[in-house]
Amino acid sequence: MEDQKKILFVINPISGGKKKTAFNKKVLEVLDLKRFNPTFQQTTKPNHAYELGKKAIEEKYDAVIAVGGDGTINELGSALIGSGVPLGIIPEGSGNGLALYLGIPMNETAAIRRLNRFETVDVDCGTINDKPFFNIAGLGFDASVSDRFANDSIRGPIGYLRSVINVLGKYKPCHYTLTIDGKKYEREAFMISVANSPQYGNNAYIAPNASVSDGVLDVCIVHKFPLYILPMMVYHLFNRSADQSEYVEIIPGRNILIERDDTGPVHVDGEPLALTGNLKIEVKPSSLKIIC
């Protein structure tokens, strides 16, 4: 009989506004306990998931499972990069962009059952001023929304929509100078998203052709557009046709420098981050194993 695999479940108790009090019991019912020996830890502070991931490598765990949203995945993924220890995902966030792209079930029981297969894929990660991201990083409008949403008492899609409406009324486009694989572009942009995977979450696709395994990032520049076009922009997002909008320009690249006149918020996998000055963005091919 093969040795049991030691796996650590790292649970974000507040992600997605969902209670997870019965989660451990569900795992013990659904996981193949002949093959897996599960341990459970809850996060209690920012960056705690990262610390638990690093400790799991030292303690020779065979896998670490993120039970949360894209922020929890980001912290654990950042800890596991280059270690060979695979990351599993039980999607419990507001958007679940990376999990949706990878075909991981949104249903909790089905996602736990999927771990029993223990099949992995190698995925790329991006870095923005050396801070890793696995789904999408961005600046401009969506980063301002993430910043607002992080400070909102209401989580989930309703809270996110409220943040969008609050920011939309007073947001002004900015001037950027982008250097993508040595070529320079000057743009006045509503926002810039750098996509490793195609969607933010909730099936809103900003970069329909992005792939986590092609060694390239998609730089999505959303140009200034008249407000009456907004319903059409939203339609493009959910119809996987953002690349067909005259207001969206997508440029693939491996080494990206973004120079900006104003220092505004940046988001990394949906989490706001205070980064000042220029932004240096790179791709690290096949740097993380994910169970899917």
Side-chain angles (χ1 to χ4, degrees), residues 3 12 31 39 93 98 119 123 126 136 138 144 158 171 177 200 230 233 241 244 247 259:
D3 289 340
N12 180 342
L31 197 68
T39 306
L98 188 62
E119 294 172 358
V123 303
I136 293 175
S144 296
I158 301 294
Y171 184 77
T177 303
Y200 290 118
L230 185 62
M233 299 295 279
S241 57
Q244 291 168 32
Y247 296 100
E259 300 167 78

Side-chain angles (χ1 to χ4, degrees), residues 4-106:
Q4 276 183 313
K5 292 187 187 302
K6 270 174 54 175
I7 59 175
L8 174 66
F9 287 84
V10 175
I11 303 158
N12 180 342
I14 60 167
S15 63
K18 301 172 190 168
K19 282 201 168 71
K20 304 176 187 70
T21 44
F23 180 79
N24 298 18
K25 183 170 176 283
K26 179 84 65 75
V27 168
L28 297 175
E29 289 168 0
V30 176
L31 197 68
D32 184 349
L33 299 179
K34 292 192 187 73
R35 295 175 57 215
F36 301 105
N37 177 18
T39 306
F40 304 92
Q41 288 262 19
Q42 285 209 354
T43 58
T44 57
K45 59 186 179 182
N47 222 38
H48 193 190
Y50 178 86
E51 292 168 15
L52 292 172
K54 284 294 185 194
K55 200 168 167 210
I57 297 168
E58 288 169 22
E59 294 178 355
K60 303 209 163 10
Y61 274 85
D62 295 295
V64 182
I65 316 302
V67 185
D70 288 329
T72 311
I73 292 165
N74 180 283
E75 284 192 29
L76 281 174
S78 299
L80 300 178
I81 283 173
S83 69
V85 177
L87 174 71
I89 299 171
I90 308 296
E92 301 275 10
S94 300
N96 304 308
L98 188 62
L100 281 163
Y101 170 68
L102 291 169
I104 293 167
M106 292 296 108

Side-chain angles (χ1 to χ4, degrees), residues 132-248:
F133 64 94
F134 302 92
N135 198 43
I136 293 175
L139 56 159
F141 176 75
D142 62 342
S144 296
V145 170
S146 293
D147 195 40
R148 172 96 192 198
F149 181 56
N151 297 304
D152 200 327
S153 56
I154 299 176
R155 307 303 293 167
I158 301 294
Y160 194 79
L161 184 63
R162 191 166 86 158
S163 298
V164 167
I165 291 162
N166 280 326
V167 173
L168 192 60
K170 45 191 177 286
Y171 184 77
K172 298 278 186 292
C174 302
H175 176 264
Y176 301 97
T177 303
L178 300 95
T179 307
I180 303 173
D181 292 344
K183 190 171 178 187
K184 194 165 274 199
Y185 305 83
E186 299 275 346
R187 296 290 185 269
E188 182 89 9
F190 183 70
M191 66 184 205
I192 298 174
S193 294
V194 183
N196 187 39
S197 104
Q199 64 159 296
Y200 290 118
N202 297 312
N203 293 310
Y205 286 76
I206 185 65
N209 299 311
S211 162
V212 297
S213 53
D214 61 358
V216 172
L217 299 168
D218 282 22
V219 183
C220 311
I221 304 162
V222 178
H223 299 283
K224 187 177 173 182
F225 59 86
L227 208 52
Y228 71 84
I229 294 289
L230 185 62
M232 181 53 78
M233 299 295 279
V234 172
Y235 169 79
H236 280 307
L237 269 182
F238 288 97
N239 198 43
R240 301 191 189 193
S241 57
D243 54 334
Q244 291 168 32
S245 167
E246 63 183 295
Y247 296 100
V248 178

